[in-house]
């Protein structure tokens, strides 16, 4: 059922029926329950911390020093976080914290190529979001700070910064056209 069809059906319900549908959704799904709890008590910082914990748990999945983290799980957590309507500023914070965690943990795990490509995609998403928030300079400064604070291995940090600079170049070239 599409969103438009659902909206049409819900318009035909009276107040009591609508309350019953919402209560059934609340009790039938953990995701719906989490959403309604956030809706009633919106605390974006607590939700951010909860998503960071989920992602940190995913990043620690390993076997014999090889990371078993799945970029799909990380992207799902980001998408779920954004779907709560927390705003781009919080998604920006989440993306930076994820990148920081991944860079820091890279010295302890061997990352498979799929995860590395996914991380470069996250960096590109981070820069694109910074562009929409008009804070690319701040975003690059945050990524440069990873290098000055010696978080993770130098070669991986350099690859992250290179991916960020390439994204900035792509954004700059599309603005000129």
């Amino acid at each position: 059922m599409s969103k438009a069809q659902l909206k049409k059906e819900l318009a035909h319900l009276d107040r009591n029926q609508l309350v019953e549908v919402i209560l059934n959704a609340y009790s039938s799904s953990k995701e719906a329950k989490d959403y309604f709890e956030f809706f009633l008590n919106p605390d974006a910082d607590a939700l951010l911390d909860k998503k960071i914990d989920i992602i940190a748990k995913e990043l620690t999945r390993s076997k014999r020093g090889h990371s078993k983290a799945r970029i799909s799980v990380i992207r799902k957590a980001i998408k779920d976080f954004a779907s709560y309507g927390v705003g781009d500023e919080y998604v920006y914070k989440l993306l930076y914290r994820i990148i920081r965690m991944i860079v820091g943990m890279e010295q302890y795990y061997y990352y498979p190529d799929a995860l590395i490509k996914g991380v470069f995609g996250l960096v590109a998403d981070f820069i694109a979001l910074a562009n929409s928030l008009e804070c690319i300079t701040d975003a690059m400064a945050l990524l440069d700070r990873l290098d000055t604070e010696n978080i993770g291995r130098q070669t991986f940090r350099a690859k992250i910064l290179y991916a960020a600079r390439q994204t900035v170049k792509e954004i700059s070239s599309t603005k000129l056209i």
Side-chain angles (χ1 to χ4, degrees), residues 107-122:
Q107 63 187 333
Y108 302 110
Y109 301 108
Y110 169 76
Y111 285 166
D113 290 338
L115 183 60
I116 292 172
K117 284 182 182 179
V119 172
F120 294 153
L122 289 177

Side-chain angles (χ1 to χ4, degrees), residues 6 9 17 50 54 66 77-79 82 94 114 132 140 143 152:
L6 178 62
E9 290 297 320
Q17 290 172 321
K50 184 177 178 182
I54 290 168
H66 291 266
I78 295 166
K79 184 179 177 185
L94 177 64
S132 70
M140 289 305 294
L143 294 176

Side-chain angles (χ1 to χ4, degrees), residues 62-103:
S62 67
K63 184 174 183 180
R64 296 185 188 132
H66 291 266
S67 176
K68 297 294 181 186
R70 299 161 292 187
I71 197 69
S72 60
V73 173
I74 294 169
R75 285 202 173 276
K76 183 183 181 305
I78 295 166
K79 184 179 177 185
D80 289 346
F81 181 71
S83 72
Y84 281 82
V86 293
D88 287 344
E89 298 83 15
Y90 277 96
V91 177
Y92 174 83
K93 286 180 187 179
L94 177 64
L95 282 170
Y96 174 68
R97 288 181 65 183
I98 291 169
I99 292 167
R100 186 178 171 89
M101 277 192 303
I102 289 171
V103 171

Side-chain angles (χ1 to χ4, degrees), residues 12-173:
H12 294 295
L13 300 178
D14 67 12
R15 184 185 187 286
N16 291 334
Q17 290 172 321
L18 194 56
V19 167
E20 190 64 31
V21 167
I22 291 171
L23 290 175
N24 287 338
Y26 180 84
S27 62
S28 69
S29 163
K30 181 185 180 326
E31 291 83 13
K33 182 177 181 180
D34 289 344
Y35 176 78
F36 286 124
E37 287 178 2
F38 180 78
F39 178 77
L40 296 173
N41 184 17
D43 185 358
D45 290 319
L47 184 63
L48 177 73
D49 291 340
K50 184 177 178 182
K51 293 299 177 183
I52 289 293
D53 291 342
I54 290 168
I55 292 165
K57 183 177 178 182
E58 182 64 25
L59 288 173
T60 58
R61 292 182 70 238
S62 67
K63 184 174 183 180
R64 296 185 188 132
H66 291 266
S67 176
K68 297 294 181 186
R70 299 161 292 187
I71 197 69
S72 60
V73 173
I74 294 169
R75 285 202 173 276
K76 183 183 181 305
I78 295 166
K79 184 179 177 185
D80 289 346
F81 181 71
S83 72
Y84 281 82
V86 293
D88 287 344
E89 298 83 15
Y90 277 96
V91 177
Y92 174 83
K93 286 180 187 179
L94 177 64
L95 282 170
Y96 174 68
R97 288 181 65 183
I98 291 169
I99 292 167
R100 186 178 171 89
M101 277 192 303
I102 289 171
V103 171
M105 295 176 83
E106 188 266 343
Q107 63 187 333
Y108 302 110
Y109 301 108
Y110 169 76
Y111 285 166
D113 290 338
L115 183 60
I116 292 172
K117 284 182 182 179
V119 172
F120 294 153
L122 289 177
V123 171
D125 293 346
F126 176 68
I127 296 299
L129 185 57
N131 181 48
S132 70
L133 293 171
E134 299 179 355
C135 62
I136 285 184
T137 306
D138 294 333
M140 289 305 294
L142 287 172
L143 294 176
D144 283 333
R145 192 169 11 160
L146 294 176
D147 207 25
T148 59
E149 292 176 355
N150 283 331
I151 295 173
R153 291 187 189 140
Q154 195 276 327
T155 54
F156 192 63
R157 289 191 315 260
K159 289 177 183 178
I160 294 292
L161 287 170
Y162 179 78
R165 289 185 183 109
Q166 288 300 110
T167 305
V168 170
K169 283 181 185 178
E170 290 172 11
I171 289 171
S172 299
S173 68

